[in-house]
Amino acid sequence: MNAKRLDAVFAFLIAATGVTWFVGESGSAGPAAVSLILGLAGVKGWLVIREFMLLRHASTLWNLVVGGWLAFVLAMIATTYWKALP
Amino acid sequence: MNDTLVGTVPISATAARHPPGDLAIWVFILAELLAFGVFFAVYAIVRMGHVELFDAMQPNLDRNAGAINTVLLLAASWGVARAVAAIERGRQAISGRWLGFAILCGFGFLVVKAFEYAAKFRAGINLATNDFYMFYLSLTFFHFMHVILGLAILIGVWAKTRAGGYSAADHHGMETGAAYWHMVDLVWIILFPLVYVMR
């Protein structure tokens, strides 16, 4: 593993967390805000899966299973959110 | 070229297709992800029927504590990843220090969460308060218990690293512990926006 690559991933993860925190603290609500925070959660999760859990060295099947879990959970959350909109 | 051959394919080449760590921990990780996935689904579905309640209760959560805990878990995962990177180069002392950093971050998470829970309990909030707090307390406590288990694993890996039990050639156990810890982090990455921010 490349240490600089891990540091860059960590820096992005922290920055993305800051954005999510700001969305929450500013009281932002609605589809745009939710799309942003769920999208960021997806990118963060994918980076953890690929770079920290090192699935980028594993087979496509393993990436599909774990990445598919992430995509399915986020899609399900987004779907229920949209269905609940007035 | 010391690879043992299976037919014409070296074992090392086929093993590389699996994620790092013991295959058994990955089966366990998949089971944990499934459990959390069901929990998230139930939260999202129940929220769909009680949007007003969830939106009214959520601002009472401490998002600063949630964000600090996100940073602590990410930092711990980063430390664990750096520890694995260090041991791959045979640098045991540095690997041990990164693991120590990760363990401190993990304990920091528990302390922040304990203060967060204490504030809620002082306010008279418990599992029976309403559906939102039932989910908030049970979902975050379920994760809290996983952090404790993850920390116990990391402490074991740290102790073995300090004792010289891992090397560049043999660090399978560290990769196994690391995989579990990253799973704990991955789950929180979804939990934080879902429970603390989404409205």
Side-chain angles (χ1 to χ4, degrees), chain A:
Chain A
M1 278 191 290
N2 184 304
K4 283 184 179 172
R5 184 178 174 124
L6 292 174
D7 295 350
V9 169
F10 176 62
F12 176 84
L13 292 170
I14 295 300
T17 300
V19 173
T20 301
W21 168 82
F22 180 76
V23 168
E25 280 300 289
S26 64
S28 300
V34 170
S35 298
L36 176 62
I37 61 169
L38 291 184
L40 284 173
V43 175
K44 288 167 69 179
W46 185 238
L47 283 172
V48 167
I49 290 167
R50 296 279 292 178
E51 305 295 333
F52 287 176
M53 299 176 104
L54 293 176
L55 258 73
R56 66 192 172 93
H57 297 309
S59 67
T60 304
L61 179 62
W62 274 103
N63 280 271
L64 282 174
V65 169
V66 184
W69 173 86
L70 176 67
F72 178 79
V73 168
L74 289 173
M76 183 268 307
I77 293 168
T79 301
T80 57
Y81 177 84
W82 259 263
K83 279 187 173 293
L85 288 174

Side-chain angles (χ1 to χ4, degrees), chain B residues 43-115:
Chain B
Y43 176 96
I45 290 166
V46 171
R47 180 190 177 278
M48 203 166 46
H50 303 82
V51 175
E52 294 81 8
L53 171 70
F54 277 53
D55 283 357
M57 294 295 110
Q58 190 195 57
N60 300 325
L61 297 187
D62 188 343
R63 262 172 310 284
N64 291 332
I68 290 168
N69 266 347
T70 307
V71 171
L72 286 168
L73 281 189
L74 291 172
S77 259
W78 174 55
V80 168
R82 288 294 300 262
V84 173
I87 204 68
E88 283 176 347
R89 289 165 175 77
R91 308 180 81 169
Q92 291 176 338
I94 293 174
S95 182
R97 282 199 284 274
W98 276 111
L99 285 171
F101 168 76
I103 290 165
L104 283 177
C105 290
F107 274 110
F109 177 96
L110 297 182
V111 170
V112 172
K113 203 80 207 145
F115 276 104

